[in-house]
Amino acid sequence: MFQRVRMLIVAAVAVAAAMALAAPPASAAESPVYSGRGWKAYTAKGIYSISPDPYTIVFASEAGRDRLSPYLKKVAAQITDVTGVQVTVSSTIVPGPRSSCSDQPRHEIRFHYKHRPVEGSWASISYPCHAAANGSAWGGNVYMNSQYWTVDNWFSSNDTTNAAKQANGVLHELGHIMGLAHVNYDRDGDGRIEDGECVRNSAGRRPVMCAPSGGYLTAANSGRYTAEFDEPGLEQMARNYYLRQESR
């Protein structure tokens, strides 16, 4: 009897040891991740995560609110659904130029609607801020070039494509505020990182956070972050907030 019990104990210990060896280290599944296929954290701006606390979008003018609200309401709902973080589009007008990050209200994202906000360029631009204490997205300011809407066929003579690129431009700049960086890389191996050089899916679609903006170009899906590239990045950025707390 003693010998049988001893054999059972030895067998149980061996099984437990084998299971322990087969299991991945806990830390491997719980480390923050700052890049993936078609997305990258905006670590150059000090942003490593998205806070679980709510964010609110406001506007610098009524014209900007009227023009941009429909796009922002759609994507705010998507961000909330993907990350669990509440993003609300308000009707509040906060006039005036952008404030410095030291004066930026926490989790306020202000959209400006201005003719050529970047001198000598057709681009729009964002000014993201970060929380110094934990590296999460703090909020900031976005300047959208009003010419995207006031000049006919700014992006394309195809109405559907033009409308999609207008929407994706708004998403792109909001993505920077939420902590996503450009994802361009030397895709063709010529030693240069150029416009549009980003990962693509089998249909040729690029991430919204490609520069210039990628994303969906159909009426049904435009104005949404891509499911295969941008969404996983947003989801991971929200997870990073907790993972970074645990790793401290």
Side-chain angles (χ1 to χ4, degrees):
M1 174 66 74
F2 175 78
Q3 182 67 19
R4 182 182 178 190
V5 170
R6 184 169 180 271
M7 290 174 64
L8 289 172
I9 292 173
V10 170
V13 170
V15 170
M19 291 176 66
L21 289 171
S27 59
E30 297 180 0
S31 298
V33 178
Y34 302 121
S35 65
R37 184 171 181 261
W39 74 272
K40 183 167 64 173
Y42 211 165
T43 56
K45 293 293 185 180
I47 306 176
Y48 298 83
S49 68
I50 296 174
S51 167
D53 295 337
Y55 292 80
T56 301
I57 295 173
V58 302
F59 301 91
S61 67
E62 290 184 6
R65 179 186 64 193
D66 295 345
R67 175 64 72 184
L68 303 175
S69 282
Y71 304 107
L72 291 167
K73 287 179 179 178
K74 183 176 181 178
V75 73
Q78 183 187 15
I79 294 173
T80 298
D81 182 59
V82 169
T83 66
V85 177
Q86 186 66 46
V87 179
T88 302
V89 180
S90 77
S91 60
T92 303
I93 303 297
V94 182
R98 70 182 180 92
S99 55
S100 64
C101 284
S102 60
D103 296 322
Q104 173 67 33
R106 183 175 185 263
H107 289 194
E108 179 183 278
I109 303 168
R110 184 157 57 128
F111 270 79
H112 305 251
Y113 182 68
K114 185 177 179 181
H115 178 83
R116 285 190 179 261
V118 180
E119 186 175 353
S121 171
W122 56 265
S124 296
I125 190 168
S126 59
Y127 296 92
C129 302
H130 71 279
N134 56 35
S136 64
W138 180 267
N141 287 259
V142 172
Y143 282 81
M144 295 303 304
N145 182 2
S146 61
Q147 289 181 297
Y148 295 177
W149 292 270
T150 59
V151 177
D152 291 340
N153 303 321
W154 178 265
F155 291 107
S156 173
S157 58
N158 180 287
D159 289 344
T160 299
T161 301
N162 192 66
K165 290 190 174 184
Q166 289 170 334
N168 293 341
V170 176
L171 270 63
H172 182 100
E173 299 305 333
L174 177 60
H176 286 320
I177 300 294
M178 300 306 295
L180 296 180
H182 288 157
V183 292
N184 299 52
Y185 70 101
D186 185 14
R187 187 167 181 263
D188 60 11
D190 67 353
R192 296 176 297 173
I193 298 176
E194 299 169 298
D195 285 353
E197 277 199 292
C198 301
V199 65
R200 299 167 185 260
N201 71 359
S202 58
R205 182 167 53 249
R206 296 175 290 122
V208 168
M209 297 312 298
C210 187
S213 305
Y216 297 110
L217 296 178
T218 63
N221 291 316
S222 63
R224 291 181 57 82
Y225 289 112
T226 58
E228 64 270 68
F229 303 127
D230 309 288
E231 274 195 2
L234 289 166
E235 184 177 10
Q236 184 62 52
M237 290 291 283
R239 281 176 43 78
N240 281 352
Y241 183 86
Y242 299 102
L243 295 176
R244 285 171 59 83
Q245 308 306 311
E246 294 170 4
S247 63
R248 290 186 174 186

CSV table of all heavy atoms in Angstrom, one decimal, residues 126-179:
chain,number,residue,atom,x,y,z
A,126,SER,N,-2.8,67.8,-35.3
A,126,SER,CA,-3.3,67.6,-33.9
A,126,SER,C,-2.1,67.9,-33.0
A,126,SER,O,-1.0,67.8,-33.3
A,126,SER,CB,-3.7,66.1,-33.7
A,126,SER,OG,-2.7,65.2,-34.0
A,127,TYR,N,-2.6,68.2,-31.7
A,127,TYR,CA,-1.6,68.6,-30.7
A,127,TYR,C,-2.0,67.7,-29.5
A,127,TYR,O,-2.7,68.2,-28.5
A,127,TYR,CB,-1.6,70.0,-30.4
A,127,TYR,CG,-1.2,70.9,-31.5
A,127,TYR,CD1,-2.1,71.4,-32.4
A,127,TYR,CD2,0.1,71.3,-31.7
A,127,TYR,CE1,-1.7,72.2,-33.5
A,127,TYR,CE2,0.5,72.1,-32.7
A,127,TYR,CZ,-0.4,72.5,-33.6
A,127,TYR,OH,0.0,73.3,-34.7
A,128,PRO,N,-1.5,66.5,-29.4
A,128,PRO,CA,-1.9,65.6,-28.3
A,128,PRO,C,-1.1,65.9,-27.0
A,128,PRO,O,0.1,66.3,-27.1
A,128,PRO,CB,-1.6,64.2,-28.8
A,128,PRO,CG,-0.5,64.4,-29.8
A,128,PRO,CD,-0.8,65.8,-30.4
A,129,CYS,N,-1.7,65.7,-25.9
A,129,CYS,CA,-1.0,65.9,-24.6
A,129,CYS,C,-1.1,64.5,-23.8
A,129,CYS,O,-1.9,63.7,-24.1
A,129,CYS,CB,-1.7,67.0,-23.7
A,129,CYS,SG,-1.8,68.6,-24.5
A,130,HIS,N,-0.2,64.4,-22.9
A,130,HIS,CA,-0.2,63.1,-22.1
A,130,HIS,C,-0.2,63.4,-20.6
A,130,HIS,O,0.2,64.5,-20.2
A,130,HIS,CB,1.1,62.3,-22.4
A,130,HIS,CG,2.3,62.9,-21.9
A,130,HIS,ND1,3.0,63.9,-22.6
A,130,HIS,CD2,3.1,62.6,-20.8
A,130,HIS,CE1,4.1,64.2,-21.9
A,130,HIS,NE2,4.2,63.5,-20.8
A,131,ALA,N,-0.6,62.5,-19.8
A,131,ALA,CA,-0.6,62.6,-18.4
A,131,ALA,C,0.8,62.2,-17.9
A,131,ALA,O,1.2,61.1,-18.1
A,131,ALA,CB,-1.6,61.6,-17.8
A,132,ALA,N,1.5,63.1,-17.3
A,132,ALA,CA,2.9,62.9,-16.9
A,132,ALA,C,3.0,61.8,-15.9
A,132,ALA,O,4.0,61.0,-15.8
A,132,ALA,CB,3.5,64.2,-16.3
A,133,ALA,N,1.9,61.6,-15.1
A,133,ALA,CA,2.0,60.6,-14.0
A,133,ALA,C,1.9,59.2,-14.5
A,133,ALA,O,2.5,58.3,-13.9
A,133,ALA,CB,0.9,60.9,-13.0
A,134,ASN,N,1.2,58.9,-15.6
A,134,ASN,CA,1.0,57.5,-16.0
A,134,ASN,C,1.1,57.3,-17.5
A,134,ASN,O,1.0,56.2,-17.9
A,134,ASN,CB,-0.3,57.0,-15.5
A,134,ASN,CG,-1.5,57.9,-15.9
A,134,ASN,OD1,-1.5,58.4,-17.1
A,134,ASN,ND2,-2.5,58.0,-15.1
A,135,GLY,N,1.4,58.3,-18.3
A,135,GLY,CA,1.6,58.2,-19.7
A,135,GLY,C,0.3,57.9,-20.5
A,135,GLY,O,0.4,57.3,-21.6
A,136,SER,N,-0.8,58.2,-19.9
A,136,SER,CA,-2.1,58.0,-20.7
A,136,SER,C,-2.4,59.3,-21.5
A,136,SER,O,-1.9,60.4,-21.3
A,136,SER,CB,-3.2,57.7,-19.7
A,136,SER,OG,-3.5,58.8,-18.8
A,137,ALA,N,-3.3,59.1,-22.5
A,137,ALA,CA,-3.8,60.2,-23.3
A,137,ALA,C,-4.5,61.2,-22.4
A,137,ALA,O,-5.5,60.8,-21.7
A,137,ALA,CB,-4.7,59.7,-24.4
A,138,TRP,N,-4.1,62.5,-22.5
A,138,TRP,CA,-4.7,63.5,-21.6
A,138,TRP,C,-5.8,64.3,-22.3
A,138,TRP,O,-6.7,64.8,-21.7
A,138,TRP,CB,-3.6,64.5,-21.2
A,138,TRP,CG,-4.0,65.6,-20.3
A,138,TRP,CD1,-4.3,66.8,-20.7
A,138,TRP,CD2,-4.1,65.6,-18.9
A,138,TRP,NE1,-4.6,67.6,-19.6
A,138,TRP,CE2,-4.5,66.9,-18.5
A,138,TRP,CE3,-3.8,64.6,-17.9
A,138,TRP,CZ2,-4.6,67.2,-17.1
A,138,TRP,CZ3,-4.0,64.9,-16.6
A,138,TRP,CH2,-4.4,66.2,-16.2
A,139,GLY,N,-5.7,64.4,-23.7
A,139,GLY,CA,-6.6,65.3,-24.4
A,139,GLY,C,-5.7,66.2,-25.3
A,139,GLY,O,-4.5,65.9,-25.6
A,140,GLY,N,-6.3,67.2,-25.8
A,140,GLY,CA,-5.5,68.1,-26.7
A,140,GLY,C,-6.4,68.8,-27.7
A,140,GLY,O,-7.6,68.9,-27.6
A,141,ASN,N,-5.7,69.3,-28.8
A,141,ASN,CA,-6.4,70.1,-29.8
A,141,ASN,C,-6.2,69.6,-31.2
A,141,ASN,O,-5.1,69.0,-31.5
A,141,ASN,CB,-5.9,71.6,-29.7
A,141,ASN,CG,-6.4,72.3,-28.5
A,141,ASN,OD1,-7.3,73.1,-28.7
A,141,ASN,ND2,-5.8,72.1,-27.4
A,142,VAL,N,-7.2,69.7,-32.0
A,142,VAL,CA,-7.2,69.2,-33.4
A,142,VAL,C,-7.6,70.4,-34.3
A,142,VAL,O,-8.6,71.0,-34.0
A,142,VAL,CB,-8.1,68.0,-33.7
A,142,VAL,CG1,-8.1,67.7,-35.2
A,142,VAL,CG2,-7.6,66.8,-32.9
A,143,TYR,N,-6.8,70.7,-35.3
A,143,TYR,CA,-7.1,71.7,-36.3
A,143,TYR,C,-7.4,71.0,-37.6
A,143,TYR,O,-6.5,70.4,-38.2
A,143,TYR,CB,-6.0,72.7,-36.5
A,143,TYR,CG,-5.8,73.7,-35.4
A,143,TYR,CD1,-5.2,73.4,-34.1
A,143,TYR,CD2,-6.3,75.0,-35.5
A,143,TYR,CE1,-5.1,74.3,-33.1
A,143,TYR,CE2,-6.2,75.9,-34.5
A,143,TYR,CZ,-5.6,75.6,-33.3
A,143,TYR,OH,-5.5,76.6,-32.3
A,144,MET,N,-8.6,71.0,-38.0
A,144,MET,CA,-9.0,70.4,-39.3
A,144,MET,C,-9.0,71.5,-40.4
A,144,MET,O,-9.5,72.6,-40.2
A,144,MET,CB,-10.4,69.8,-39.2
A,144,MET,CG,-10.5,68.6,-38.3
A,144,MET,SD,-9.4,67.2,-38.7
A,144,MET,CE,-9.8,66.9,-40.4
A,145,ASN,N,-8.4,71.2,-41.5
A,145,ASN,CA,-8.4,72.1,-42.7
A,145,ASN,C,-9.8,72.2,-43.3
A,145,ASN,O,-10.3,71.2,-43.8
A,145,ASN,CB,-7.4,71.7,-43.7
A,145,ASN,CG,-7.3,72.6,-44.9
A,145,ASN,OD1,-7.9,73.7,-44.9
A,145,ASN,ND2,-6.4,72.2,-45.8
A,146,SER,N,-10.4,73.4,-43.2
A,146,SER,CA,-11.8,73.5,-43.7
A,146,SER,C,-11.9,73.3,-45.2
A,146,SER,O,-13.0,73.1,-45.7
A,146,SER,CB,-12.3,74.9,-43.3
A,146,SER,OG,-11.5,75.9,-43.9
A,147,GLN,N,-10.8,73.4,-45.9
A,147,GLN,CA,-10.8,73.2,-47.3
A,147,GLN,C,-11.3,71.8,-47.7
A,147,GLN,O,-11.8,71.6,-48.9
A,147,GLN,CB,-9.4,73.5,-48.0
A,147,GLN,CG,-9.1,75.0,-47.9
A,147,GLN,CD,-7.7,75.2,-48.6
A,147,GLN,OE1,-6.7,74.7,-48.1
A,147,GLN,NE2,-7.6,75.9,-49.7
A,148,TYR,N,-11.1,70.9,-46.8
A,148,TYR,CA,-11.6,69.5,-47.2
A,148,TYR,C,-13.1,69.5,-47.5
A,148,TYR,O,-13.5,68.7,-48.3
A,148,TYR,CB,-11.4,68.6,-46.0
A,148,TYR,CG,-10.0,68.3,-45.5
A,148,TYR,CD1,-9.7,67.5,-44.4
A,148,TYR,CD2,-8.9,68.9,-46.2
A,148,TYR,CE1,-8.5,67.3,-44.0
A,148,TYR,CE2,-7.6,68.6,-45.8
A,148,TYR,CZ,-7.4,67.8,-44.6
A,148,TYR,OH,-6.1,67.6,-44.2
A,149,TRP,N,-13.8,70.5,-47.0
A,149,TRP,CA,-15.3,70.6,-47.2
A,149,TRP,C,-15.6,71.8,-48.1
A,149,TRP,O,-16.6,71.7,-48.8
A,149,TRP,CB,-16.0,70.7,-45.9
A,149,TRP,CG,-15.9,69.4,-45.1
A,149,TRP,CD1,-16.8,68.4,-45.1
A,149,TRP,CD2,-14.9,69.1,-44.1
A,149,TRP,NE1,-16.3,67.4,-44.3
A,149,TRP,CE2,-15.2,67.8,-43.7
A,149,TRP,CE3,-13.7,69.7,-43.6
A,149,TRP,CZ2,-14.4,67.2,-42.7
A,149,TRP,CZ3,-13.0,69.1,-42.7
A,149,TRP,CH2,-13.3,67.8,-42.2
A,150,THR,N,-14.9,72.9,-48.0
A,150,THR,CA,-15.3,74.1,-48.8
A,150,THR,C,-14.9,74.1,-50.2
A,150,THR,O,-15.4,74.8,-51.0
A,150,THR,CB,-14.7,75.4,-48.1
A,150,THR,OG1,-13.3,75.3,-48.0
A,150,THR,CG2,-15.3,75.5,-46.7
A,151,VAL,N,-13.9,73.2,-50.6
A,151,VAL,CA,-13.4,73.1,-51.9
A,151,VAL,C,-14.0,71.8,-52.5
A,151,VAL,O,-13.8,70.7,-51.9
A,151,VAL,CB,-11.9,73.1,-52.0
A,151,VAL,CG1,-11.5,72.8,-53.5
A,151,VAL,CG2,-11.3,74.3,-51.5
A,152,ASP,N,-14.8,71.9,-53.6
A,152,ASP,CA,-15.4,70.8,-54.2
A,152,ASP,C,-14.4,69.7,-54.6
A,152,ASP,O,-13.3,70.0,-55.1
A,152,ASP,CB,-16.2,71.2,-55.4
A,152,ASP,CG,-17.4,72.0,-55.1
A,152,ASP,OD1,-17.9,71.9,-53.9
A,152,ASP,OD2,-17.9,72.7,-56.0
A,153,ASN,N,-14.7,68.5,-54.3
A,153,ASN,CA,-13.9,67.3,-54.7
A,153,ASN,C,-12.4,67.5,-54.3
A,153,ASN,O,-11.5,67.2,-55.0
A,153,ASN,CB,-13.9,67.2,-56.3
A,153,ASN,CG,-15.3,67.0,-56.8
A,153,ASN,OD1,-16.1,66.3,-56.2
A,153,ASN,ND2,-15.6,67.7,-57.9
A,154,TRP,N,-12.2,67.9,-53.0
A,154,TRP,CA,-10.9,68.1,-52.5
A,154,TRP,C,-10.0,66.9,-52.6
A,154,TRP,O,-8.9,66.9,-53.0
A,154,TRP,CB,-10.9,68.6,-51.1
A,154,TRP,CG,-9.6,68.8,-50.5
A,154,TRP,CD1,-8.9,68.0,-49.7
A,154,TRP,CD2,-8.8,70.0,-50.6
A,154,TRP,NE1,-7.7,68.5,-49.3
A,154,TRP,CE2,-7.6,69.7,-49.9
A,154,TRP,CE3,-8.9,71.2,-51.2
A,154,TRP,CZ2,-6.5,70.7,-49.8
A,154,TRP,CZ3,-7.9,72.2,-51.1
A,154,TRP,CH2,-6.7,71.9,-50.4
A,155,PHE,N,-10.6,65.8,-52.2
A,155,PHE,CA,-9.9,64.5,-52.2
A,155,PHE,C,-10.1,63.7,-53.5
A,155,PHE,O,-9.2,63.0,-53.9
A,155,PHE,CB,-10.3,63.6,-51.0
A,155,PHE,CG,-9.8,64.2,-49.7
A,155,PHE,CD1,-10.7,64.8,-48.8
A,155,PHE,CD2,-8.5,64.1,-49.3
A,155,PHE,CE1,-10.3,65.2,-47.6
A,155,PHE,CE2,-8.1,64.6,-48.1
A,155,PHE,CZ,-9.0,65.2,-47.2
A,156,SER,N,-11.3,63.8,-54.1
A,156,SER,CA,-11.6,62.9,-55.2
A,156,SER,C,-12.8,63.5,-56.0
A,156,SER,O,-13.7,64.1,-55.4
A,156,SER,CB,-11.8,61.5,-54.8
A,156,SER,OG,-12.3,60.7,-55.8
A,157,SER,N,-12.8,63.2,-57.3
A,157,SER,CA,-14.0,63.6,-58.1
A,157,SER,C,-15.1,62.6,-57.9
A,157,SER,O,-16.3,62.8,-58.2
A,157,SER,CB,-13.6,63.7,-59.5
A,157,SER,OG,-13.1,62.4,-60.0
A,158,ASN,N,-14.8,61.4,-57.2
A,158,ASN,CA,-15.8,60.5,-56.9
A,158,ASN,C,-16.4,60.9,-55.5
A,158,ASN,O,-15.7,61.0,-54.5
A,158,ASN,CB,-15.2,59.1,-56.8
A,158,ASN,CG,-16.2,58.0,-56.4
A,158,ASN,OD1,-16.7,57.9,-55.3
A,158,ASN,ND2,-16.6,57.2,-57.4
A,159,ASP,N,-17.7,61.1,-55.5
A,159,ASP,CA,-18.4,61.7,-54.3
A,159,ASP,C,-18.2,60.7,-53.1
A,159,ASP,O,-18.0,61.2,-52.0
A,159,ASP,CB,-19.9,61.9,-54.6
A,159,ASP,CG,-20.1,63.1,-55.5
A,159,ASP,OD1,-19.2,63.9,-55.7
A,159,ASP,OD2,-21.3,63.2,-56.0
A,160,THR,N,-18.4,59.4,-53.3
A,160,THR,CA,-18.3,58.5,-52.2
A,160,THR,C,-16.9,58.5,-51.7
A,160,THR,O,-16.7,58.5,-50.4
A,160,THR,CB,-18.6,57.1,-52.7
A,160,THR,OG1,-20.0,57.1,-53.2
A,160,THR,CG2,-18.5,56.1,-51.6
A,161,THR,N,-15.9,58.5,-52.5
A,161,THR,CA,-14.5,58.5,-52.1
A,161,THR,C,-14.1,59.8,-51.4
A,161,THR,O,-13.5,59.8,-50.3
A,161,THR,CB,-13.5,58.2,-53.3
A,161,THR,OG1,-13.8,57.0,-53.9
A,161,THR,CG2,-12.1,58.2,-52.8
A,162,ASN,N,-14.6,60.9,-51.9
A,162,ASN,CA,-14.3,62.2,-51.3
A,162,ASN,C,-14.9,62.3,-49.9
A,162,ASN,O,-14.2,62.7,-49.0
A,162,ASN,CB,-14.9,63.3,-52.2
A,162,ASN,CG,-14.4,64.7,-51.8
A,162,ASN,OD1,-13.2,65.0,-51.9
A,162,ASN,ND2,-15.3,65.5,-51.3
A,163,ALA,N,-16.1,61.8,-49.8
A,163,ALA,CA,-16.8,61.9,-48.5
A,163,ALA,C,-16.1,60.9,-47.5
A,163,ALA,O,-15.9,61.3,-46.3
A,163,ALA,CB,-18.3,61.5,-48.6
A,164,ALA,N,-15.7,59.8,-47.9
A,164,ALA,CA,-15.0,58.8,-47.1
A,164,ALA,C,-13.6,59.4,-46.6
A,164,ALA,O,-13.3,59.3,-45.4
A,164,ALA,CB,-14.7,57.5,-47.8
A,165,LYS,N,-12.9,60.1,-47.5
A,165,LYS,CA,-11.6,60.7,-47.1
A,165,LYS,C,-11.8,61.9,-46.1
A,165,LYS,O,-10.9,62.1,-45.3
A,165,LYS,CB,-10.8,61.0,-48.3
A,165,LYS,CG,-10.3,59.8,-49.1
A,165,LYS,CD,-9.3,60.1,-50.1
A,165,LYS,CE,-8.8,58.8,-50.8
A,165,LYS,NZ,-7.7,59.1,-51.7
A,166,GLN,N,-12.9,62.6,-46.3
A,166,GLN,CA,-13.2,63.7,-45.3
A,166,GLN,C,-13.3,63.1,-43.9
A,166,GLN,O,-12.7,63.5,-43.0
A,166,GLN,CB,-14.4,64.4,-45.7
A,166,GLN,CG,-14.3,65.3,-47.0
A,166,GLN,CD,-15.7,65.8,-47.4
A,166,GLN,OE1,-16.7,65.1,-47.2
A,166,GLN,NE2,-15.7,66.9,-48.2
A,167,ALA,N,-14.1,62.0,-43.9
A,167,ALA,CA,-14.4,61.4,-42.6
A,167,ALA,C,-13.1,60.8,-42.0
A,167,ALA,O,-12.8,60.9,-40.8
A,167,ALA,CB,-15.5,60.3,-42.7
A,168,ASN,N,-12.3,60.1,-42.8
A,168,ASN,CA,-11.1,59.4,-42.3
A,168,ASN,C,-10.1,60.4,-41.9
A,168,ASN,O,-9.3,60.1,-41.0
A,168,ASN,CB,-10.6,58.5,-43.4
A,168,ASN,CG,-11.5,57.3,-43.7
A,168,ASN,OD1,-12.3,57.0,-42.9
A,168,ASN,ND2,-11.3,56.7,-44.9
A,169,GLY,N,-10.1,61.6,-42.5
A,169,GLY,CA,-9.2,62.7,-42.0
A,169,GLY,C,-9.5,63.1,-40.6
A,169,GLY,O,-8.6,63.3,-39.8
A,170,VAL,N,-10.8,63.2,-40.2
A,170,VAL,CA,-11.2,63.5,-38.9
A,170,VAL,C,-10.7,62.4,-37.9
A,170,VAL,O,-10.2,62.7,-36.8
A,170,VAL,CB,-12.7,63.7,-38.8
A,170,VAL,CG1,-13.1,64.0,-37.3
A,170,VAL,CG2,-13.1,64.9,-39.7
A,171,LEU,N,-11.0,61.1,-38.3
A,171,LEU,CA,-10.6,60.0,-37.5
A,171,LEU,C,-9.1,60.0,-37.2
A,171,LEU,O,-8.6,59.7,-36.1
A,171,LEU,CB,-11.0,58.7,-38.2
A,171,LEU,CG,-12.3,58.1,-37.9
A,171,LEU,CD1,-13.5,59.0,-38.3
A,171,LEU,CD2,-12.5,56.7,-38.5
A,172,HIS,N,-8.3,60.3,-38.3
A,172,HIS,CA,-6.9,60.2,-38.2
A,172,HIS,C,-6.4,61.2,-37.1
A,172,HIS,O,-5.6,60.8,-36.3
A,172,HIS,CB,-6.3,60.6,-39.6
A,172,HIS,CG,-4.8,60.5,-39.6
A,172,HIS,ND1,-4.1,59.5,-40.2
A,172,HIS,CD2,-3.8,61.4,-39.2
A,172,HIS,CE1,-2.8,59.7,-40.1
A,172,HIS,NE2,-2.6,60.9,-39.5
A,173,GLU,N,-6.9,62.4,-37.1
A,173,GLU,CA,-6.4,63.4,-36.2
A,173,GLU,C,-6.8,63.1,-34.7
A,173,GLU,O,-6.1,63.2,-33.8
A,173,GLU,CB,-6.8,64.8,-36.6
A,173,GLU,CG,-6.3,65.3,-37.9
A,173,GLU,CD,-4.8,65.2,-38.0
A,173,GLU,OE1,-4.1,65.3,-37.0
A,173,GLU,OE2,-4.3,65.0,-39.2
A,174,LEU,N,-8.1,62.6,-34.6
A,174,LEU,CA,-8.5,62.1,-33.3
A,174,LEU,C,-7.7,61.0,-32.8
A,174,LEU,O,-7.4,60.9,-31.6
A,174,LEU,CB,-10.0,61.7,-33.4
A,174,LEU,CG,-10.6,61.2,-32.1
A,174,LEU,CD1,-10.6,62.2,-31.0
A,174,LEU,CD2,-12.1,60.7,-32.3
A,175,GLY,N,-7.3,60.1,-33.7
A,175,GLY,CA,-6.5,58.9,-33.3
A,175,GLY,C,-5.2,59.4,-32.6
A,175,GLY,O,-4.7,58.8,-31.7
A,176,HIS,N,-4.6,60.5,-33.1
A,176,HIS,CA,-3.4,61.0,-32.5
A,176,HIS,C,-3.6,61.4,-31.1
A,176,HIS,O,-2.8,61.2,-30.2
A,176,HIS,CB,-2.8,62.2,-33.3
A,176,HIS,CG,-2.2,61.8,-34.6
A,176,HIS,ND1,-1.3,60.7,-34.7
A,176,HIS,CD2,-2.2,62.4,-35.8
A,176,HIS,CE1,-0.9,60.7,-36.0
A,176,HIS,NE2,-1.4,61.7,-36.7
A,177,ILE,N,-4.7,62.1,-30.9
A,177,ILE,CA,-5.1,62.6,-29.5
A,177,ILE,C,-5.3,61.4,-28.6
A,177,ILE,O,-4.9,61.5,-27.4
A,177,ILE,CB,-6.4,63.5,-29.5
A,177,ILE,CG1,-6.2,64.7,-30.4
A,177,ILE,CG2,-6.7,63.9,-28.1
A,177,ILE,CD1,-5.1,65.7,-29.9
A,178,MET,N,-5.8,60.3,-29.1
A,178,MET,CA,-6.1,59.1,-28.3
A,178,MET,C,-4.8,58.2,-28.1
A,178,MET,O,-4.8,57.2,-27.5
A,178,MET,CB,-7.2,58.3,-28.9
A,178,MET,CG,-8.5,59.0,-29.0
A,178,MET,SD,-9.1,59.7,-27.4
A,178,MET,CE,-9.4,58.2,-26.4
A,179,GLY,N,-3.7,58.7,-28.8
A,179,GLY,CA,-2.5,58.0,-28.5
A,179,GLY,C,-2.0,57.1,-29.6
A,179,GLY,O,-1.1,56.3,-29.4
